Amino acid sequence: MQDGVVTLDHKSVYRPSEEVIARARIKDWDALSAYAAENPLAFWAERAEELEWFKRWDQVLDDSNKPFFKWFVGGKFNIVHNALDRHLTTWRRNKVAYIWQGEDFSERMIAYGELHREVSKFANVLKSLGVQKGDRVTIYMGRVIELPVAMLACARIGAVHSVVYGGFSVEALRGRIADSQSKIVVTCDGAYVNGKVVELKQIVDDALKPGDLPVEKVIVYRRTGREIGWVEGRDHWWHDLMAQASPNCPVEVMDAEDPLFILYTSGSTGKPKALLHTHGGYAVYTYTTLRYVFDVQDEDRYWCAADPGWITGHSYIVYAPLMNGVTSIMYEGGPSYPAPDRWWSIVEQYRVSILYCAPTAIRGFMRFGEEWPRKHDMSSLRLLGSVGEPINPEAWLWFYHNVGGGRCPIMDTWWQTETGGFMITPLPVVPLKPGSATRPFFGIKAEVVDDAGNPVKPNEEGYLTITVPWPGMARTIYGDPDRYVQTYWARYPGRYFTGDSARVDEDGYFWIIGRVDDVLKVSGYRLGTAEVESALVSHPAVAEAAAIGLPHEVRGNAIYTYVILRAGYEGTPELAEELRQHVAKVMGPIARPERVEFVTRLPKTRSGKIMRRVLKARALGLPEGDLTTLEE
Ligand code: PRX
């Protein structure tokens, strides 16, 4: 550790230095928090004023049809106008929007003006293929600049993008295309990750093979140049279409409440749900949260190391940074490829000032040792961030000392696909406790309650709920409003139920414990146990399967599965391995079980539901709890 750096331990409270306070945009957290709590609508209206509207809203919040809240009602708006066009009349036209580095060390930089041009051209491409306002477009690409280009092009013309994470595989992609009824799929010929090529186009071809999906056109961006399959008439090269496209494409004037995108996420059932976000409220919320929490300034080099295919990427790689006119870093490949200092070399090379990533990445780096970050000059960093799962104090401290050099506050941001943006989070001036996401953001009220919905005492564990509406909230589950009500609003009427457990300490600091439903967080990725089980059952040898998450040192959780075989199959190690690969093939490598165990029975309730908590307790050697409903 460097000289003069304060050493913290688990119980310390980090207080921001004078330097941090001096440059912070929001210096008085308490005052603004009190103002927003008393005047939430005025607070949000003032934030909305900072963006450009084609027509001002008539009403900030319409809560007449709960829980289907509407924000900035009557306002005319387009998020892309605010992300791109707005900058063209300023010096930011020539400011770099994205600095991109390929896994192969190739580099690209794109300025706001040029990004606007590319987006407009691709918007015209989509129009020429018949895409209209409200149509869904599935985007399944690697981490290339064309991924945000495709998202923004959709939003520009009022089409609804549905990005499917490039780490998902055939069945996951297929289910999401079917549910969204997309007529267009945008993909790449492949993606580079960890020195290998992910055959994205092949996966698209396999997903579309049965011929029962409504996809009419597949647009392929060339990244690897490798040989790929081709369906004449259906498939088109990105570059061919772009070569003929005009760069003039006016922005579609949208209602504030018109859909912007859908994004699938896992819940308690096997069917992923598409959370729907809208142009106006989502823009105001993501713009504001990034501005206040990461305190982005024009001179920053901001790097959110997530994947654009998840909500973190949507909100904090694409929309919020662009609306704030920030220069972002985008890196294509694996974090430790070709060596464990790849990220640190990027920080040094581009003088990154803000780094936002997942605890699982940090824990992975911890294993390689502190000599790797030490090889690089990371003095450009001023703020760090964490998201996706609870950050354990050990990882927090490692990040703080070895990456942040003991200078950089860590913004541990708690939020969800459903919330659109940060909900419980510090600001640079907020004192930090390692492992706590601190306090609710301005205008947000969170409460931890017991089964009956009564607030629990300080330090008691309970369910995390949100008691107010906020502009960034998802508006519904696309195509299934009943499920939206049931999942989030029925358990505690009048409150949004997060699915997480938490406790609040005597200082009002929130400590997130984890999911209380059948959602797993594996390396920060959100997966449903039911999806893994249905992938297993799709194998001919499997009669029944149960999946649970068990603690894992790096990944947070690892997937353990219990399988009952069909008659005639033998539970050999080879078959276990085959089943692991089968899950990876149909769902994606992120869902590959750590372990497949063959069993003859599974603990079930009398109504036939698998009691996963019993499996988990048994695996961990813990008391099995209330077994009155167990059938055996
Ligand atoms: O369990 C919480 C965990 O991630 C869940 C949301 O997952 P997803 O929709 O994929 O969004 C992840 C990126 C925003 C939450 O229900 N989670 C997210 N951030 C944190 C967290 N748990 C603890 N601390 C966090 N900072």
Side-chain angles (χ1 to χ4, degrees), residues 51 79 82-83 97-98 112 147-148 151-152 155 161 163 260-263 275-294 296 302-326 328-330 356 387 413-423 470-475:
L51 297 172
I79 196 169
N82 283 279
Y98 290 112
Y112 275 87
L147 171 45
M151 293 166 69
L152 293 158
H161 57 72
V163 179
L260 167 63
F261 64 82
I262 54 177
L263 184 59
L275 274 311
L276 184 139
H277 285 281
T278 55
H279 272 257
Y282 174 82
V284 172
Y285 198 71
T286 54
Y287 166 83
T288 305
T289 45
L290 182 69
R291 198 169 180 79
Y292 287 3
V293 173
F294 283 108
V296 287
Y302 160 82
W303 183 16
C304 168
D307 192 283
W310 300 90
I311 192 67
T312 309
H314 282 54
S315 299
Y316 298 111
I317 296 176
V318 182
Y319 290 111
L322 295 175
M323 282 188 283
N324 278 286
V326 167
S328 284
I329 313 297
M330 227 173 126
Y356 183 35
V387 62
T413 61
W414 176 88
W415 59 295
Q416 308 176 300
T417 306
E418 292 86 345
T419 71
F422 312 148
M423 296 293 281
W470 66 100
M473 64 202 309
R475 297 300 191 266

Side-chain angles (χ1 to χ4, degrees), residues 117-132 137 149-150 153-154 156-157 159 184-186 217-221 234-249:
R117 199 181 145 86
E118 291 296 293
V119 167
S120 300
K121 281 169 69 180
F122 196 64
N124 279 326
V125 165
L126 293 173
K127 274 187 176 172
S128 74
L129 297 179
V131 177
Q132 292 179 356
V137 173
V149 169
C154 289
R156 187 169 190 85
I157 60 171
I184 307 266
V185 175
V186 188
K217 299 286 178 195
V218 175
I219 304 173
V220 187
Y221 176 72
R234 186 196 71 182
D235 299 351
H236 300 270
W237 284 112
W238 172 291
H239 55 261
D240 287 343
L241 297 168
M242 288 291 266
Q244 295 155 20
S246 150
N248 300 315
C249 177

